[in-house]
Amino acid sequence: MKVSFGRLAALLMVCGAAAACRPDIQPVQGTLEPGTPAAEAPAAVRETLETAPLDDRFEYLLNDGENGLAVLSLLRCSEGQSAEGYGVLVVCGDTRTELPGIRHGNMPQARFDAAKGELWLTGADAEGTGLRVERPYLLRFDPAGRASVAATIDPYAMQEELRKHLSFSVKNKNITFYADGAPLVTSTVTEDGMGPLFDQPVWIGEQIRYELDGGLTVLVTPGLSFQTGKVLLYDDTPTLAATVALTPEGFTLSGFRIYPEL
């Protein structure tokens, strides 16, 4: 029997919609709340960025001699005062741009796209045991070489966009993760000391980070909640990746996959 391309496409759309509406597939939940005010950098951070030489108070995130560009994070204001994870300095030629309000955290990244003249930077809004919530920044330069933040993605906005795409189903101790209704991976729960899974067992928000190689990629690791205790566990869940594209309205996600790719 021959099936026209249009009819085949329509059938695939119906099948995809049916899979997305299966009653055993549930949306993931989010831990981050909207409107959380950002903490402020210590007052000494700005002064140090404006006046300090590039000494051991800084760490190079990028040192691109070919393009005359350097990006540094401030580790401390003085021997007795921490920068508390705040403060980024961008040096383009002879022009310094101080960005005291950027919280770079412990594992920042920087990548310069010379073809577009754009600088990507990631920092962490929150860090701790089982907690890494990153924020990406896109910086652009004026003709004098001064940098400014052209775009950033709030962690809550990313969480909520991910929740539009991600879902899961549970069968015995197996959890299958889906993106836009298509199965990505099935994981087996090995934890046996926390009782059964909670009624809403899969949450995201505490583990959101980014990669900058080849563009902007978001990485999210879901956590599992059990009947005993309220701490999310991550040992039995995969890390999922998606490609991020900026738009005039904000950003979009596509190309969901397992990270690292198998």
Side-chain angles (χ1 to χ4, degrees):
M1 180 180 67
K2 294 183 178 180
V3 180
S4 69
F5 177 80
R7 180 172 174 79
L8 177 60
L11 287 172
L12 291 174
M13 290 177 64
V14 169
C15 292
C21 296
R22 282 172 46 185
D24 59 325
I25 297 181
Q26 307 173 52
V28 300
Q29 302 299 311
T31 64
L32 302 179
E33 297 182 356
T36 303
E40 294 186 4
V45 168
R46 177 178 292 277
E47 180 181 353
T48 305
L49 290 177
E50 291 176 348
T51 61
L54 304 185
D55 55 21
D56 61 1
R57 285 173 286 184
F58 292 90
E59 179 181 34
Y60 278 89
L61 307 182
L62 178 69
N63 193 2
D64 185 346
E66 182 178 351
N67 292 293
L69 179 66
V71 182
L72 304 96
S73 60
L74 182 63
L75 301 179
R76 63 185 185 278
C77 300
S78 65
E79 288 298 333
Q81 184 172 18
S82 168
E84 298 180 24
Y86 282 94
V88 169
L89 180 65
V90 179
V91 183
C92 182
D94 296 327
T95 302
R96 290 171 57 132
T97 302
E98 302 86 12
L99 300 166
I102 290 183
R103 190 181 190 281
H104 52 77
N106 295 322
M107 299 177 64
Q109 303 174 76
R111 182 182 64 84
F112 182 58
D113 186 336
K116 295 181 179 180
E118 297 178 339
L119 174 66
W120 280 103
L121 175 72
T122 65
D125 277 20
E127 294 172 302
T129 302
L131 180 67
R132 181 156 185 83
V133 183
E134 290 190 343
R135 177 191 293 264
Y137 301 85
L138 175 63
L139 281 68
R140 295 195 175 109
F141 297 85
D142 67 14
R146 186 158 185 84
S148 61
V149 177
T152 186
I153 300 177
D154 179 85
Y156 176 76
M158 176 54 73
Q159 171 189 274
E160 294 305 288
E161 186 63 25
L162 286 164
R163 290 185 63 211
K164 293 176 184 178
H165 296 270
L166 298 179
S167 55
F168 69 96
S169 64
V170 179
K171 184 176 182 180
N172 299 322
K173 288 198 169 187
N174 294 322
I175 299 180
T176 300
F177 292 90
Y178 302 82
D180 299 320
L184 287 176
V185 64
T186 297
S187 299
T188 300
V189 179
T190 61
E191 171 61 45
D192 58 5
M194 301 289 287
L197 289 168
F198 188 58
D199 293 341
Q200 295 180 329
V202 181
W203 296 71
I204 65 170
E206 290 188 351
Q207 290 284 339
I208 297 177
R209 56 191 180 91
Y210 294 87
E211 277 202 346
L212 300 179
D213 293 338
L216 184 63
T217 298
V218 62
L219 308 176
V220 57
T221 306
L224 297 182
S225 178
F226 295 82
Q227 295 287 356
T228 302
K230 299 298 182 182
V231 178
L232 296 178
L233 300 182
Y234 294 90
D235 291 344
D236 295 327
T237 53
T239 294
L240 309 176
T243 300
V244 185
L246 297 180
T247 69
E249 295 76 27
F251 64 95
T252 60
L253 301 178
S254 62
F256 280 86
R257 54 200 182 273
I258 306 302
Y259 178 89
E261 296 183 52
L262 301 178

